Amino acid sequence: MSRYGAGGFSRQLKQYFGFDAASSIRVRNLFSPKRFFNVVRYLTSRNAHPERVLYFPITLMVEVSTVCNLRCPGCERELFQTDPSLGGLPKGNVTLKNLEKLNNVLPYIYSTYFVGGLGEPFLNPEFWAIHHYFKSFGIKTGYFTNASLVDENKIKTTFKEGVDSVLISVDSHSRQRYEEIKKGSSFDKAVDSIRLFSRYRAAYKQRAFQLGLNFIFRSDNYGDILDYLDFAKDLGVDFINASGFIVHVEKEKDKSIFWLDDSLRDMIFRQARDKARRLGIRLRLPHLRPFNGCKCYHLWHGVCVFYNGDVCACPFFRTKRPFYFHSDGMKVFYEKRLYEDAILGNYLNQDFFEQIWNGPRARQMRRGEIDADLSTNPCGLCYYKYDLH
């Protein structure tokens, strides 16, 4: 198998341009001179792994809201509610006024993915104003949603506002399992919304628009992916982002796919890959195991912007917190460990390029990753950088 795992070299190429690696590269979004030369500088220097970079981030993942209307047992929200040291669950929406402070950065950004983070994007009343603002810079945009609040008007607006891709969290093709995982949700509502996306894409003649589903591999549902592919095909889905269950609280650790035998995962992934190819669906699968020479691409590629202004090197280490699975050499092992956060700074009161993107913490983390220094950053034993999630 290629060192790149499922998806091979093309997947690595897409990771150069955005978090939504299962989606497609949009060349037209590179026509702006600032963006084009930013990408050129990125492509010509990233593999040298400089401690101080000469380009702006290629992509931003922007948290829109920490408010949610569902209750999912495996959600990151459970960590905030069960661990008092984290200060409780944040509840708030990012504002357009605050995001406008990124105006010097946005002309260089290739893609932005709007996520709820801890919540649901459509619970932010300014969502469309925020999207419109980012789109005014010619950025490729997408959003991630649980679809419970999506209606016909929001779908029409999605196409009118030029959203390039939508990723919908649908954890199962089974109504019972879906509603067990997503407490307070309606399976039928989610399915109806997905069908409406497909219908309006045809009505608006938006063939370039990409519709994806997010599937979470767990130790109790890994075999569902084969029937899930048929489900996605029937709904007119373009791609599936299949990732491994992230353990946020210790009581959920048994649901990790790392308890499965490698040969079993390999068989399921191979069957899923073959079936997706036959159905014409792009499928993003986690890697099976770590590989030599991997360095976290997030440190040189993009950042995550959270509702309170914090800018983090990646979405997983937004706060100092415990993690339960780690990579050491070519193996993944279970052990509860406390990790430092990956906060680079706060864009509300710091210069983005010099004090955050090239600030002391960013340079320290890049240097730590280059030197494999486990004392300076959480990247050393992190299995996320291998795309094992």
Side-chain angles (χ1 to χ4, degrees):
M1 179 182 290
S2 161
R3 63 166 285 194
Y4 298 117
F9 176 74
S10 64
R11 177 171 158 197
Q12 291 293 307
L13 179 64
K14 289 173 183 178
Q15 284 182 338
Y16 267 75
F17 291 92
F19 284 102
D20 51 334
S23 187
S24 58
I25 296 171
R26 298 286 170 78
V27 175
R28 70 170 185 264
N29 293 104
L30 300 176
F31 287 161
S32 164
K34 287 183 178 180
R35 189 169 298 116
F36 176 80
F37 286 110
N38 192 56
V39 168
V40 169
R41 285 191 290 269
Y42 167 72
L43 293 174
T44 56
S45 65
R46 192 197 95 155
N47 286 341
H49 298 107
E51 185 176 321
R52 185 182 187 281
V53 296
L54 300 178
Y55 53 86
F56 280 91
I58 299 300
T59 184
L60 298 180
M61 191 175 79
V62 178
E63 180 178 63
V64 181
S65 177
T66 64
V67 185
C68 192
N69 58 319
L70 300 183
R71 305 178 308 281
C72 305
C75 179
E76 183 183 358
R77 299 169 66 86
E78 290 297 308
L79 175 63
F80 282 87
Q81 295 181 111
T82 56
D83 188 341
S85 68
L86 295 177
L89 178 67
K91 295 181 180 179
N93 292 319
V94 70
T95 66
L96 174 59
K97 182 179 180 181
N98 280 349
L99 288 174
E100 286 174 343
K101 295 180 181 180
L102 293 171
N103 67 312
N104 292 329
V105 181
L106 297 183
Y108 300 91
I109 302 299
Y110 163 74
S111 65
T112 295
Y113 225 71
F114 297 103
V115 296
L118 295 171
E120 163 60 33
F122 285 119
L123 285 171
N124 187 331
E126 288 193 283
F127 175 74
W128 286 121
I130 290 168
H131 177 272
H132 189 80
Y133 177 69
F134 275 72
K135 203 65 180 178
S136 69
F137 290 90
I139 297 172
K140 178 188 175 187
T141 60
Y143 65 78
F144 183 82
T145 176
N146 62 36
S148 61
L149 301 177
V150 171
D151 55 27
E152 195 163 1
N153 184 56
K154 290 185 178 70
I155 293 173
K156 289 180 181 178
T157 306
T158 295
F159 290 104
K160 290 177 180 178
E161 287 292 322
V163 177
D164 294 284
S165 62
V166 171
L167 184 61
I168 300 175
S169 176
V170 180
D171 295 274
S172 176
H173 63 287
S174 159
R175 176 184 289 101
Q176 180 179 350
R177 187 187 290 271
Y178 174 87
E179 294 181 355
E180 285 175 353
I181 295 172
K182 291 190 174 303
K183 304 294 185 183
S185 66
S186 166
F187 177 80
D188 292 336
K189 173 72 168 63
V191 169
D192 288 345
S193 295
I194 297 166
R195 292 192 189 282
L196 273 177
F197 272 112
S198 296
R199 189 183 309 163
Y200 274 97
R201 170 169 52 186
Y204 281 93
K205 299 181 180 179
Q206 296 291 328
R207 288 183 295 176
F209 173 81
Q210 300 291 295
L211 179 62
L213 299 184
N214 194 63
F215 176 84
I216 306 295
F217 275 110
R218 296 147 47 109
S219 61
D220 58 357
N221 78 339
Y222 60 90
D224 291 354
I225 185 63
L226 299 178
D227 289 337
Y228 188 92
L229 282 161
D230 291 318
F231 167 73
K233 179 67 175 179
D234 179 61
L235 294 176
V237 167
D238 301 295
F239 68 94
I240 294 173
N241 183 58
S243 56
F245 179 71
I246 299 175
V247 178
H248 292 294
V249 293
E250 197 162 10
K251 67 179 181 180
E252 298 285 330
K253 68 180 185 296
D254 292 340
K255 294 186 175 68
S256 171
I257 61 170
F258 288 113
W259 297 120
L260 303 178
D261 183 78
D262 280 356
S263 61
L264 177 58
R265 282 189 290 153
D266 188 23
M267 179 188 71
I268 292 294
F269 284 12
R270 184 173 61 253
Q271 291 175 350
R273 217 167 23 241
D274 291 344
K275 185 167 187 176
R277 191 178 299 114
R278 292 196 304 270
L279 294 176
I281 296 175
R282 290 190 305 281
L283 174 65
R284 181 269 189 201
L285 289 168
H287 288 175
L288 284 166
R289 56 189 64 86
F291 50 86
N292 290 324
C294 177
K295 292 182 175 62
C296 181
Y297 80 94
H298 282 282
L299 295 172
W300 288 273
H301 176 86
V303 292
C304 302
V305 179
F306 291 103
Y307 85 106
N308 62 350
D310 282 345
V311 178
C312 292
C314 82
F316 306 112
F317 299 95
R318 65 185 291 161
T319 57
K320 185 176 181 178
R321 60 175 59 190
F323 279 85
Y324 304 94
F325 292 91
H326 321 279
S327 174
D328 188 8
M330 297 298 289
K331 296 181 179 179
V332 175
F333 65 95
Y334 166 78
E335 180 181 297
K336 184 177 180 178
R337 289 177 177 233
L338 188 67
Y339 277 67
E340 294 295 326
D341 63 61
I343 298 174
L344 307 181
N346 191 293
Y347 77 89
L348 297 178
N349 51 40
Q350 290 178 287
D351 176 77
F352 189 97
F353 190 80
E354 290 297 336
Q355 294 180 296
I356 300 177
W357 181 233
N358 277 312
R361 179 60 169 153
R363 296 199 308 273
Q364 180 192 50
M365 291 187 68
R366 291 182 189 124
R367 175 50 55 190
E369 185 67 347
I370 293 166
D371 296 341
D373 181 358
L374 304 186
S375 67
T376 58
N377 66 5
C379 304
L381 296 175
C382 174
Y383 73 83
Y384 302 109
K385 68 181 178 182
Y386 296 97
D387 263 355
L388 299 174
H389 68 286

